[in-house]
Amino acid sequence: RLPREKPPPKPRPPTRWEQFARLKGIRRKKKTSLVWDEQAKEWRRRWGYRRAGGDPSRAWLAEVPAGADPEEDQFARLRREKRERVARNELNRLRNLARAHRAGSAVPAAPLHPTGHQDRDELRTVARVARVSTASLGRFQPRLPKESAEPPSRSGGKKRRFEPLLGNLAAERSRQLELLRDMGSKKPVLDITRAVNKQLRQEEAEAAAANKGKKQSKRGKRGRRQQRPGRSGKKSGARRQPQQQKKAAGGGSG
C-alpha cells in the first residue's frame, strides 16, 4: 500500500448540542423522512418544504392558546416565532463555525454572508473554490465566458511553472552561464527603483520624526510659559525676602 500524500483530515469538533447530548446520555433516534398526511391523504416530508401538516402560520385556522390575549393576531404570532427560530438556528450555526475555526479544525469558517447577498469578490471566491474542488483541480471543468483558460490553484495565487527536464539545452546553458556571470562579477546587482523608493521612505520618516520633535518642544515651552507666572509669584517672593534681609544686615554692619 502506498503512503498518504497528505495527512488524514482532523475530526470535526462536536457542537454544543452534541456535547450536551453526550453529557446527558441522549442518543439519536433515526426517524423516517416521510410521514402520512391525513389532510392531503398522501405521504409527505416530515420537515421542510411541503411537509406533512403544512406550515401552521399559513393555515386557514389558528387555535388561540389558553391564557392568551383573544385580540392578538395568532397568525402574526406564528410568523414571528418562526422568524425567531430561523434566526436562532442561524446564530447557533455561525457559533459552531466560529468555535471550529478557533479550535484549528479542518472545517474552515465560511467567509461569506449567510443571508445570500454576496458581492462580486465573494462570488468570485465561491466560483474559484467550486472549480478547484474536483480531483483534477478544475482542469476539465467548463469555463465561464470571461474566465481565464488556466485553472486556478487552491490558494488563489498564480501557479508556479517549472521548466521541463528534457528540452532546449542551449537555453539551459545560456541561463546557467548568465547566472555564473552574475555571481562572478564584482559589481553588485542593484535594483535602482527599489533603492530609490527605500531612500525616499527613509527621508520621509526622518522628516516626520523631526517635525514631531519640534512640535513636542513647542508644546513644552508653551506649557512652561503658562505655568511660570503662577509659580514665580509664590516662589520668587519667598526667595527674595531672605536675600533682602541679608543685604540689610550687611549694610547695617558696614
Side-chain angles (χ1 to χ4, degrees), residues 131 138-145 147:
R131 183 178 177 82
R139 187 176 300 275
F140 305 104
Q141 297 296 324
R143 297 193 305 271
L144 296 176
E147 192 174 4

Side-chain angles (χ1 to χ4, degrees), residues 171-226:
E172 179 69 20
R173 187 185 300 108
S174 63
R175 283 196 301 269
Q176 296 295 336
L177 289 175
E178 185 178 359
L179 179 61
L180 291 174
R181 192 181 304 109
D182 293 340
M183 292 173 62
S185 63
K186 296 182 180 180
K187 295 182 179 180
V189 180
L190 179 62
D191 190 353
I192 300 177
T193 304
R194 186 175 180 181
V196 171
N197 292 336
K198 185 176 181 180
Q199 182 67 21
L200 291 176
R201 287 196 300 269
Q202 186 176 0
E203 293 177 358
E204 290 177 358
E206 292 177 356
N211 293 333
K212 186 176 181 181
K214 290 181 180 179
K215 290 181 180 179
Q216 289 181 355
S217 62
K218 289 181 180 179
R219 291 177 183 174
K221 292 180 180 178
R222 190 180 305 166
R224 291 173 188 172
R225 291 174 182 174
Q226 292 177 359

